Amino acid sequence: AQTVTQSQPEMSVQEAETVTLSCTYDTSENNYYLFWYKQPPSRQMILVIRQEAYKQQNATENRFSVNFQKAAKSFSLKISDSQLGDTAMYFCAFTRSNNNDMRFGAGTRLTVKP
Amino acid sequence: EPEVTQTPSHQVTQMGQEVILRCVPISNHLYFYWYRQILGQKVEFLVSFYNNEISEKSEIFDDQFSVERPDGSNFTLKIRSTKLEDSAMYFCAATDRTVFGTQYFGPGTRLLVL
């Protein structure tokens, strides 16, 4: 069974600084997809970034980037130049393919301080 | 990002009543999913739906739950006889034909069972 672990329940960072959120997962699959979703107080799930396991290059979306270590089954999210609007819950998620359920970690609550 | 909409945004119901939650995907959407998130907890998979059939369901998705896409557009989740523990945020998600593996979430329906 696939499991996703986020070991940091809460984190904080000063505005404009960089923060890294950790995620590890367990799977026997070779091809899969990994995601980070942001959930602000409105509770909407917003896709931040995605990574395909067969791609060695780490995904980047503006201020957001990942460090994908396939052998270690690690998928961390780096937020650069943190902004107040980045304050939210962040969920790491895993899916095997297009027609499979998504497994979520327990989330990390990030607070960006002014 | 392919948009998924859900109605209603909030629903309050009495225990034992039936509720129907609706999801409106767009034409490019391929697979459909329902997830729930009890307040303060992780997002949990309920069911996936493809080609007018359930393709996968979790142990949470018991006989009290059903899904259908009756008119080829709206994708509904029905809870036949609500319990207090059904109070949660319910998310619809869909995958796009062009972005393999990524699930796009609707804004959610906040269900409160009294």
Side-chain angles (χ1 to χ4, degrees), chain B residues 1-51:
Chain B
E1 183 172 307
E3 185 175 337
V4 176
T5 59
Q6 290 184 243
T7 60
S9 58
H10 294 77
Q11 174 99 40
V12 180
T13 190
Q14 294 292 322
M15 190 170 58
Q17 295 295 305
E18 174 184 285
V19 294
I20 297 176
L21 310 182
R22 290 182 174 81
C23 174
V24 184
I26 63 173
S27 59
N28 247 9
H29 287 155
L30 198 58
Y31 290 90
F32 307 97
Y33 308 81
W34 283 104
Y35 293 84
R36 79 172 185 191
Q37 185 186 32
I38 296 170
L39 187 63
Q41 298 186 21
K42 68 166 70 174
V43 178
E44 301 173 292
F45 168 74
L46 293 177
V47 66
S48 60
F49 191 83
Y50 172 69
N51 205 25

Side-chain angles (χ1 to χ4, degrees), chain A residues 33 35 37 39 42-45 47 50 91 95-96 98-102 104-106, chain B residues 30-31 33 35 37 39 42-43 45 56 89 91 95 99-103 105 107 110:
Chain A
Y33 301 85
F35 308 86
Y37 284 89
Q39 188 179 47
S42 67
R43 295 188 71 185
Q44 176 151 7
M45 297 290 285
L47 177 65
R50 70 192 290 266
F91 290 97
T95 188
R96 284 173 291 163
N98 215 34
N99 62 339
N100 292 115
D101 64 296
M102 192 166 286
F104 287 84
Chain B
L30 198 58
Y31 290 90
Y33 308 81
Y35 293 84
Q37 185 186 32
L39 187 63
K42 68 166 70 174
V43 178
F45 168 74
E56 198 171 359
M89 193 78 158
F91 292 102
T95 56
V99 187
F100 200 78
T102 300
Q103 294 182 24
F105 283 73
R110 196 183 299 255

Side-chain angles (χ1 to χ4, degrees), chain A residues 10-60:
Chain A
E10 293 189 21
M11 292 193 71
S12 63
V13 63
Q14 291 296 131
E15 194 176 7
E17 294 192 348
T18 296
V19 64
T20 299
L21 309 184
S22 301
C23 173
T24 58
Y25 58 94
D26 187 27
T27 183
S28 57
E29 303 285 336
N30 191 44
N31 293 321
Y32 48 87
Y33 301 85
L34 295 162
F35 308 86
W36 280 97
Y37 284 89
K38 171 185 177 181
Q39 188 179 47
S42 67
R43 295 188 71 185
Q44 176 151 7
M45 297 290 285
I46 301 167
L47 177 65
V48 175
I49 198 164
R50 70 192 290 266
Q51 175 81 42
E52 294 136 332
Y54 65 86
K55 288 188 178 178
Q56 292 185 337
Q57 187 173 5
N58 289 326
T60 300

Side-chain angles (χ1 to χ4, degrees), chain A residues 62-82:
Chain A
N62 300 313
R63 298 182 295 108
F64 299 89
S65 61
V66 298
N67 183 6
F68 172 48
Q69 301 290 326
K70 191 172 183 179
K73 296 180 183 175
S74 170
F75 183 61
S76 61
L77 174 70
K78 185 171 82 171
I79 306 175
S80 304
D81 186 25
S82 297

